Amino acid sequence: MALSQDQFFKAVATRRIPRVRIAGIVVNDGAVLVQRPVDDPSSCYAFIGGEYEVGDTFESRLRKEFEEETNARIVDAAYLFCVENHFRYKGHIIQQAEHYFSVKLDRSDVASREYRLQQHWLPLDQIGVVDLRPLVVRDALADGSYLRVKHIIQLLEDEAGKSTRSD
């Protein structure tokens, strides 16, 4: 049985250890592929990916996530950067080490295989105003620096919503 987003993040926070996540950035025809839960259309967008598991390599986990969550298969993946992501989710502090790959897929008509998720193509020229998390990755995508950076830090946001980015 799949957990809701709320149940999932509560379980992650309860473990009190950093989570390792692998995610893909898919850019095609001036748009980036993202997803968000169907049951909470006001929630933020996120990059497709998932938790690193015993027996995985980064690339094998990335391929499994795309095959589990979408009808697309990865034809090429290249490592981009790591993000130290610290954030709050409904009062819970979450800490993740996120590894991002540049991904090319076998198709652009991507559809969900999971009833709780829906994928979307968001125009790159509008990405800077979209709630796509982590925000530092969104910003690196918007300004094109995501192809040059190797390490990014997303600290807990302060009262003004400011965070830190390190190249």
Side-chain angles (χ1 to χ4, degrees):
M1 180 176 152
L3 297 175
S4 73
Q5 184 168 275
D6 289 344
Q7 292 168 323
F8 174 78
F9 280 118
K10 184 176 181 183
V12 168
T14 302
R15 294 189 308 198
R16 301 199 42 80
I17 58 172
R19 175 178 179 247
V20 178
R21 183 172 187 270
I22 313 302
I25 297 176
V26 182
V27 175
N28 189 20
D29 289 333
V32 62
L33 182 64
V34 296
Q35 65 186 11
R36 71 176 171 191
V38 173
D39 60 349
D40 187 3
S42 66
S43 68
C44 67
Y45 291 100
F47 296 96
I48 297 170
E51 190 167 28
Y52 189 55
E53 297 178 13
V54 173
D56 286 341
T57 64
F58 284 176
E59 192 169 331
S60 72
R61 172 49 44 197
L62 186 67
R63 289 180 183 281
K64 287 175 190 174
E65 292 298 329
F66 272 83
E67 290 173 13
E68 289 171 3
E69 296 176 7
T70 76
N71 63 339
R73 292 190 182 272
I74 294 175
V75 295
D76 190 37
Y79 188 85
L80 290 171
F81 53 80
C82 178
V83 175
E84 292 179 56
N85 189 6
H86 305 79
F87 62 98
R88 283 185 180 86
Y89 181 83
K90 296 190 175 179
H92 301 287
I93 295 177
I94 310 293
Q95 184 173 334
Q96 298 184 148
E98 301 180 7
H99 297 274
Y100 284 83
F101 284 75
S102 174
V103 171
K104 294 198 183 326
L105 299 176
D106 65 344
R107 62 191 314 150
S108 60
D109 60 333
V110 178
S112 183
R113 288 186 186 219
E114 291 193 11
Y115 71 95
R116 291 182 186 257
L117 296 173
Q118 185 174 26
Q119 287 77 33
H120 304 268
W121 287 99
L122 301 178
L124 280 174
D125 61 358
Q126 299 171 21
I127 205 75
V129 297
V130 173
D131 190 7
L132 172 59
R133 304 292 174 97
L135 296 175
V136 292
V137 176
R138 178 205 64 190
D139 295 345
L141 190 60
D143 69 18
S145 65
Y146 78 102
L147 295 172
R148 297 185 307 274
V149 298
K150 294 298 173 201
H151 180 231
I152 302 174
I153 301 171
Q154 171 80 55
L155 296 175
L156 284 173
E157 293 182 349
D158 63 17
E159 301 300 321
K162 293 183 180 175
S163 58
T164 301
R165 174 176 154 182
S166 172
D167 297 337

